[in-house]
Amino acid sequence: MIGIFKHNNPLSLLLLGLLALLPAITVDATLNAAVPAATTAIFKALSAYLSFVDRSNGMLGKIMCTSILLAEALIFNKIIADHKLMERAGFIPAMSFLLLNALLPFHTTPIFLVLNGMVLIVFKLFITMYKESNANNKLLLTGFIVGCMASMNTGFLILFCWTVIGIMIMRPASIREWLHATTGFILPFYFIFSGLYLLDTLNVSMVFPPVSMDFTLPSLSPLAWTKTSLFLLLPWIGMFSYNIQIGKMMIQARKAYLIMLILILATLVICLFSIKDMSTTLTLMLVPSAFLFSPLFLAFKKNFIPNLIFLTLIILSLLR
């Protein structure tokens, strides 16, 4: 089975479609809250606007949600292939992305599909700005996209730290370039405050809702906890299993792995701010988790263990 994904077999596209459809044809045991804590009016308005894409809204919602998932998986795969971030990866990255999404026991809402798309764009920008002598436009756009993400939830402000660290990793130390990214990050908030002021509805709590530090564990079934634990653990196993090969890669590729590792840590901090609402923010970790998990299928010379891992995760995904 893994050999099909490794060698760009046309059948792999059909299998990817089935993997993207898997969450839609199974009944979710755990559905996350529609609106997590510390979300802004923008998050709520966008969630309401995209509700027709939700797979809980009949066949049309399932088709659209599945199509977006598959498109993001293929874009993710193309980024890795174009920049040679894995050797002979084939469609393994796309498969890992969809497999981890199916494994999660939580309902992936349309708003988080949008956020994952934003993460893919920022990841691409980080990689392409590495060799550019003048990357001011990319720095501004990177900061702007991350600022748009942060404007949806107060907890997402920590993503600014990820942006700054990512720029320091990919670019020479430069205050001017850091200011470009910071300006881009501030712009969405400037537009929001300006709009609220003109409408005479300016209220800071609308843009920065208070973060509730709730460390109460969510009430999940043993199976849901098992799936969640595997989702959190598998990226680390994948990274350590591929550690030797990562060390032999070009500097650009090694830095890409470091950036995704930092994003996982930043998302974990976001989840810890309100662990009770973990189901609403854990899907933000999907892109970096898939990136670090994919090498696990490439770390073995024979396909027996990768096939065993693949089948085990498929069975777990089907259990509800």
Side-chain angles (χ1 to χ4, degrees), residues 125-132 170-171 251-252 255:
L125 289 170
F126 271 135
I127 295 172
T128 54
M129 72 172 65
Y130 172 66
K131 291 184 177 180
E132 289 198 10
M170 282 296 185
R171 306 288 300 172
I251 296 176
Q252 184 183 30
K255 290 186 174 186

Side-chain angles (χ1 to χ4, degrees), residues 140-159:
L140 191 68
L141 182 58
T142 298
F144 182 79
I145 294 173
V146 176
C148 289
M149 295 174 68
S151 69
M152 298 183 192
N153 189 299
T154 306
F156 294 172
L157 287 171
I158 197 172
L159 294 177

Side-chain angles (χ1 to χ4, degrees), residues 115 176 278:
L115 289 170
R176 182 173 56 86
M278 178 176 62

Side-chain angles (χ1 to χ4, degrees), residues 106-128:
F106 308 123
H107 184 75
T108 306
T109 56
I111 186 70
F112 276 93
L113 290 177
V114 173
L115 289 170
N116 281 323
M118 290 181 171
V119 171
L120 286 172
I121 296 172
V122 173
F123 183 42
K124 175 72 173 180
L125 289 170
F126 271 135
I127 295 172
T128 54

Side-chain angles (χ1 to χ4, degrees), residues 48-273:
Y49 179 76
L50 296 173
S51 60
F52 68 96
V53 183
D54 199 305
R55 66 173 183 259
S56 63
N57 287 341
M59 185 57 66
L60 179 61
K62 290 181 179 181
I63 293 173
M64 296 190 69
C65 184
T66 300
S67 301
I68 294 171
L69 265 175
L70 182 58
E72 288 186 348
L74 292 174
I75 292 170
F76 172 64
N77 200 96
K78 190 176 188 309
I79 292 172
I80 290 175
D82 288 349
H83 299 283
K84 299 179 181 179
L85 302 180
M86 296 178 196
E87 294 184 6
R88 299 184 298 275
F91 284 106
I92 291 292
M95 181 270 290
S96 301
F97 180 91
L98 296 172
L99 191 57
L100 284 181
N101 178 74
L103 178 66
L104 270 175
F106 308 123
H107 184 75
T108 306
T109 56
I111 186 70
F112 276 93
L113 290 177
V114 173
L115 289 170
N116 281 323
M118 290 181 171
V119 171
L120 286 172
I121 296 172
V122 173
F123 183 42
K124 175 72 173 180
L125 289 170
F126 271 135
I127 295 172
T128 54
M129 72 172 65
Y130 172 66
K131 291 184 177 180
E132 289 198 10
S133 57
N134 186 357
N136 291 339
N137 291 335
K138 284 185 170 63
L139 289 164
L140 191 68
L141 182 58
T142 298
F144 182 79
I145 294 173
V146 176
C148 289
M149 295 174 68
S151 69
M152 298 183 192
N153 189 299
T154 306
F156 294 172
L157 287 171
I158 197 172
L159 294 177
F160 176 69
C161 299
W162 172 56
T163 307
V164 172
I165 296 172
I167 291 171
M168 291 174 64
I169 291 171
M170 282 296 185
R171 306 288 300 172
S174 170
I175 295 178
R176 182 173 56 86
E177 292 191 344
W178 179 82
L179 286 175
H180 273 92
T182 303
T183 301
F185 184 83
I186 293 173
L187 277 177
F189 297 99
Y190 171 77
F191 293 142
I192 293 169
F193 276 112
S194 299
L196 292 174
Y197 177 77
L198 291 174
L199 294 172
D200 199 24
T201 56
L202 183 58
N203 187 345
V204 176
S205 63
M206 291 180 64
V207 185
F208 300 110
V211 178
S212 59
M213 302 293 287
D214 189 353
F215 296 102
T216 306
L217 290 175
S219 179
L220 301 176
S221 66
L223 180 60
W225 273 119
T226 301
K227 293 180 179 182
T228 304
S229 301
L230 276 174
F231 180 86
L232 294 171
L233 185 62
L234 285 172
W236 299 94
I237 296 175
M239 185 181 65
F240 286 120
S241 67
Y242 206 61
N243 189 46
I244 296 176
Q245 288 85 345
I246 293 174
K248 296 177 181 178
M249 289 182 176
M250 300 292 288
I251 296 176
Q252 184 183 30
R254 295 203 302 268
K255 290 186 174 186
Y257 277 90
L258 185 55
I259 286 173
M260 287 291 99
L261 177 61
I262 293 169
L263 179 56
I264 281 187
L265 295 176
T267 311
L268 282 174
V269 173
I270 293 171
C271 292
L272 285 175
F273 277 147

